Amino acid sequence: MSSASDLEATRAHEEPLILERHGIDYIPPDERHGKPNTLLTFWAASNVQILAISVGALAIVFGLSLPWAIFAIVVGNAAGGLYMALHSVQGPRLGLPQMMQSRAQFGMYGTALPNLIVVLMYIGYFTSSAILGGLAVASLLHVTTTEGIIIINAFVLLITVFGYDMFHAYNRVVTFLSTGAFLAILIKLLTVLPAHLPAGDNSAGNILLAISVFVAWQVTWAPYVSDYSRYMPENTSSAKVFTYTYVGSVAGASLVMVIGAIAAVVAKASVDANAPTVVAIIGTLIAIKASSNFIHDLTNFLIFTLYLLVPWTAINLTDYYLVQRGKYDIPELFKVHGKYGTYNWFALVVYVAAVGVQFPFMNNEWIVGSAATAMGGADIAWIVGFVFAGIVYYIGARAGIAVSARLGREDAEVRTKTSV
């Protein structure tokens, strides 16, 4: 009879051509495998993509000069990357998809609220990536844009069928190919960059808006980041999981977004370069900006996604790191009438309240809050929402109001009585 360690040894390597067997269920110890260094290439490849070019260009569209745009890109990604990397650590510890673990905070059915928001976010990103990918495939294969979108989506679906191991194996290859291609574009762009850069409108409002957009890019990975670390052994180093995830995601996104900002400057200066790569990049940016208000819609999508996701990430991280300290009853998360309940009204109220307290600090197309106006247009709503949700949830947990905290206290009392 094989021991657990023998079974783990048989799964100590990736099997990218084996169809994915798991969905939202728990990954048992005998199927855990992989090393945290694979997260570096996984998240680098996930960020080194065409959509990130457009996101990076937003800083220039907002009116920032190139140096301040680069500053906002680096700071925003570095700050947002902290959230997603902290969530990544949960994967090996719990062996669950990220949103499944949220049942411990919101309840079996209560988690439908953050799940709905996350699904809408998925659709938004999938649509954006499909359009840009479809345009690229159409240009490369000389087919229609519709056909290009169908081809790119069929390819994505194929990889999805093979699942976790295929994702990691594919992204290792893509990391080097994409990084090489984007570095070549960067070098070519630098040769046609104007000698005298525009001064720009580097107001605090514009800088904070840009930083918020780049924070949002990273935070939107949070609802599923642990899905790609949950197959790793439970004793995998948390520090390594965090570091490899953080560096891969922040460095990958920052590189491509800086390229997008530089390309936007070149496009605004109407530089007539004879380099096909530069012409293609500039042409793509202009076409995107001109078609269906893509840049405008992308900005609103990212900002409002940030408003809605930050309270969830604050509640989840507070519960995991400060309240439960990573200890959950996994089987109970799959029971309709389990000990985590159907609805955790306290968590839901904190979530809704955290969204509400952001309104005075918002500054966007539809909402300009009084606090944002008083601060010269600076939008710090997501910071307020995160701090509010984290503090209020923690206080409630300490008081035994939050379901997971109350159950954790009851379990501790049972263990104490049993030991006595």
Side-chain angles (χ1 to χ4, degrees), residues 14 16 37-38 41-42 45 165-177:
E14 288 179 347
N37 62 345
T38 60
T41 51
F42 182 91
D165 284 346
M166 175 59 80
F167 292 148
H168 278 271
Y170 173 78
N171 276 8
R172 268 200 303 277
V173 176
V174 170
T175 295
F176 297 105
L177 294 179

Side-chain angles (χ1 to χ4, degrees), residues 200-213:
D201 177 11
N202 303 311
S203 64
N206 280 347
I207 293 171
L208 283 172
L209 173 61
I211 289 175
S212 296
V213 166

Side-chain angles (χ1 to χ4, degrees), residues 209-230:
L209 173 61
I211 289 175
S212 296
V213 166
F214 304 128
V215 168
W217 174 270
Q218 292 292 337
V219 170
T220 51
W221 292 119
Y224 53 105
V225 60
S226 70
D227 295 27
Y228 303 103
S229 59
R230 68 186 178 120

Side-chain angles (χ1 to χ4, degrees), residues 240-263:
K240 290 182 178 180
V241 171
F242 177 91
T243 301
Y244 283 119
T245 300
Y246 183 82
V247 173
S249 189
V250 172
S254 296
L255 169 66
V256 181
M257 290 179 187
V258 167
I259 293 173
I262 294 173

